[in-house]
Amino acid sequence: MSGAHAHALYYHEHSPVHRAPAACKLAAHLAFVLIVVATPREAVWAFGAYAVLLVLVGSLARLPLGFALPRLAVELPFVAFALILPFIASGERIEVGGLALSRDGLWGAWNILAKGTLGVGASVIVAATTTLPELVHGLERLRLPRVFTQMAAFMVRYLDVIADELRRMRLARTARAYDPRWLWQARAIAASAGALFIRSFERGERVWLAMVSRGYEGSMPAVGPGAIEARWWVASLAVPGAAGVVCVLAWIGLR
Amino acid sequence: MHIPDGFINAPVSIAAGAASLGALAASARRVSEELAERAAPLAGLVAAFVFAAQMLNFPVAAGTSGHLLGGVLAAVLVGPWTGAICIALVLFVQALVFADGGLSALGLNVVNMAVIGALGGYVVFRALRGALPRTRSGVVVASGVAAGISVVLAAIGFWVEYALGGTVGVDLGTVFGAMVGVHLLIGIGEGVITALTVGAVMSVRPDLVHGARDLVPSAAPARSGAPSGG
């Protein structure tokens, strides 16, 4: 892990979006996706407007267009579900290119693809512009229980250490010509998982002892920048604000 | 494979979000009571373990592979409350850092995998342990079967959410059959790997297995040393 605690999706840049406090970005992210989900699927133009908003924020963050595309793969199983929907959904059928497809199913597929893709886009922008410590700090700012955010802090701090341990175990198995193809050959993998658990747990105990010996009494001192300036909140919440206007217009337009 | 934004409508997503926050707050309280000031480092490291364990691919058949979900595994190893918190932490990080699972659907995913998968799976585990002999193999078998059942329970949880807030008129019976059928297969793999993993930990550090604490006299000195393996 580099000094900046970068992660797989982090994109190093200097931009207002990168500088914005994580709490503001997380709040804006949550509000934005909730608004997108609450938008009626028939208002196709509204989803275009949301996409334009995301592209604007993405270009403000100087993210290359296409940065988000590989990440869309995470929603593939649901894309598959969306693609079969027009064939299996009930209700009125319409003719599309010689196939009798369910009108309801087509709308449902559009709904899942549009909202899911916008959601991944928003997630990618926030993840690309926020480091792990900033994220944990932001969750704390948003009043998640402190026990929870402190566990999250330890988790993200040791994620790469544990994942590297797992990688070394896999290398060791492979070096001993272990190449299982069937479930009943999986014992060595389970043994690795067991060993990994014991090592993780014992590391946790060692970390705790090391902290106690340095005066730890059950909670970490609050660190990070002080109060968030109001302009950051205004700027961040302008994005879901604009999306909210679009959503209201979309509902009115349907009447 | 986590629910993305827009798959389930907003009211059901928000209700699940509220329910999951309540469950997390209750679990967090229990964890801080059980682990005291060790809570943050220990639970954090176990959550990192669950995250890594989910990257562990195991073979299924003819070279295809699946990966562990780990709900019952975590609950049996470190207790149901810590286990549920760890799964929830993994889901938070996956949604916020890896764009895996929508942020508006995070509550749904936490309900399915942390509340139903880990807490519910642990209830099944306790019930099975009551029915099986009080031996080490009893613990191993109970954890494996509970892990398999928990995967199917989580799939049924998804189905209930879909029935309440799904966005399209597919016959609910079709969705139920497909979800339960697929997850029965996934559950077999999950059960086998969970049982083998619990067995591996039991053979080295039985004192660390929360679900088998009644078998280990607490005064017995813990055997030291981690197993070899790389």
Side-chain angles (χ1 to χ4, degrees), chain A residues 42-212:
Chain A
E42 288 81 6
V44 175
W45 67 271
F47 297 99
Y50 297 145
V52 170
L53 267 177
L54 284 184
V55 170
L56 284 178
V57 178
S59 56
L60 188 64
R62 305 212 190 109
L63 301 177
L65 206 68
F67 179 74
L69 292 181
R71 295 312 302 176
L72 293 176
V74 296
E75 51 162 3
L76 273 184
F78 293 88
V79 171
F81 181 78
L83 290 182
I84 60 167
L85 263 182
F87 298 97
I88 60 169
S90 50
E92 185 195 343
R93 300 261 146 184
I94 51 172
E95 188 97 354
V96 181
L99 294 166
L101 301 178
S102 156
R103 175 189 290 276
D104 232 24
L106 283 172
W107 276 120
W110 156 251
N111 185 61
I112 291 169
L113 290 178
K115 292 178 178 176
T117 306
L118 288 168
V120 174
S123 299
V124 167
I125 290 177
V126 173
T129 59
T130 317
T131 62
L132 288 172
E134 284 171 355
L135 267 180
V136 172
H137 188 67
L139 290 176
E140 202 154 289
R141 263 287 156 71
L142 294 175
R143 302 278 156 81
L144 256 78
R146 231 170 122 66
V147 201
F148 192 74
T149 53
Q150 294 206 349
M151 291 173 186
F154 276 97
M155 178 195 175
V156 300
R157 194 170 300 157
Y158 285 95
L159 214 51
D160 285 356
V161 176
I162 305 294
D164 276 344
E165 193 125 28
L166 186 76
R167 209 165 296 130
R168 286 195 295 276
M169 289 175 168
R170 190 177 54 78
L171 202 61
R173 287 196 307 271
T174 311
R176 288 158 178 78
Y178 180 66
D179 179 26
R181 291 175 59 77
W182 302 88
L183 185 56
W184 54 84
Q185 299 169 330
R187 179 176 288 276
I189 289 175
S192 299
L196 187 68
F197 167 72
I198 293 170
R199 291 180 189 179
S200 306
F201 196 91
E202 288 177 342
R203 188 187 291 273
E205 288 180 321
R206 287 199 304 277
V207 168
W208 173 65
L209 286 174
M211 290 165 65
V212 168

Side-chain angles (χ1 to χ4, degrees), chain B residues 105-193:
Chain B
L106 187 52
L108 300 162
N109 287 317
V110 169
V111 165
N112 290 343
M113 289 184 239
V115 179
I116 300 178
L119 285 179
Y122 191 77
V123 172
V124 176
F125 169 78
R126 294 297 334 172
L128 287 169
R129 280 232 42 209
L132 290 165
R134 282 190 35 151
T135 58
R136 289 190 178 193
S137 30
V139 174
V140 171
V141 170
S143 57
V145 176
I149 293 175
S150 81
V151 173
V152 177
L153 288 180
I156 294 175
F158 168 81
W159 177 77
V160 170
E161 288 152 6
Y162 183 81
L164 291 174
T167 40
V168 78
V170 182
D171 178 41
L172 285 174
T174 314
V175 177
F176 187 85
M179 282 303 286
V180 171
V182 169
H183 285 83
L184 266 175
L185 293 177
I186 297 176
I188 292 172
E190 176 84 6
V192 169
I193 300 294

Side-chain angles (χ1 to χ4, degrees), chain B:
Chain B
M1 160 169 176
H2 307 328
I3 304 174
D5 291 307
F7 201 84
I8 306 287
N9 69 14
V12 175
S13 303
I14 291 172
S20 61
L21 276 183
L24 285 185
S27 306
R29 218 169 22 247
R30 295 297 294 264
V31 171
S32 7
E33 280 169 18
E34 276 174 23
L35 295 176
E37 73 274 34
R38 296 189 306 159
L42 273 186
L45 263 296
V46 173
F49 158 74
V50 173
F51 189 92
Q54 289 192 352
M55 300 193 298
L56 195 67
N57 282 309
F58 58 81
V60 178
T64 58
S65 68
H67 75 86
L68 202 61
L69 302 170
V72 169
L73 179 63
V76 169
L77 289 177
V78 292
W81 306 108
T82 315
I85 288 267
C86 290
I87 302 291
L89 280 169
V90 169
L91 292 170
F92 261 76
V93 168
Q94 282 168 339
L96 291 176
V97 183
F98 296 91
D100 192 1
L103 189 57
S104 72
L106 187 52
L108 300 162
N109 287 317
V110 169
V111 165
N112 290 343
M113 289 184 239
V115 179
I116 300 178
L119 285 179
Y122 191 77
V123 172
V124 176
F125 169 78
R126 294 297 334 172
L128 287 169
R129 280 232 42 209
L132 290 165
R134 282 190 35 151
T135 58
R136 289 190 178 193
S137 30
V139 174
V140 171
V141 170
S143 57
V145 176
I149 293 175
S150 81
V151 173
V152 177
L153 288 180
I156 294 175
F158 168 81
W159 177 77
V160 170
E161 288 152 6
Y162 183 81
L164 291 174
T167 40
V168 78
V170 182
D171 178 41
L172 285 174
T174 314
V175 177
F176 187 85
M179 282 303 286
V180 171
V182 169
H183 285 83
L184 266 175
L185 293 177
I186 297 176
I188 292 172
E190 176 84 6
V192 169
I193 300 294
T194 299
L196 289 174
T197 305
V198 169
V201 179
M202 291 272 289
S203 62
V204 186
R205 288 287 304 269
D207 57 308
L208 285 191
V209 181
H210 182 282
R213 283 204 300 202
D214 52 325
L215 299 182
V216 182
S218 52
R223 279 165 59 185
S224 59
S228 57

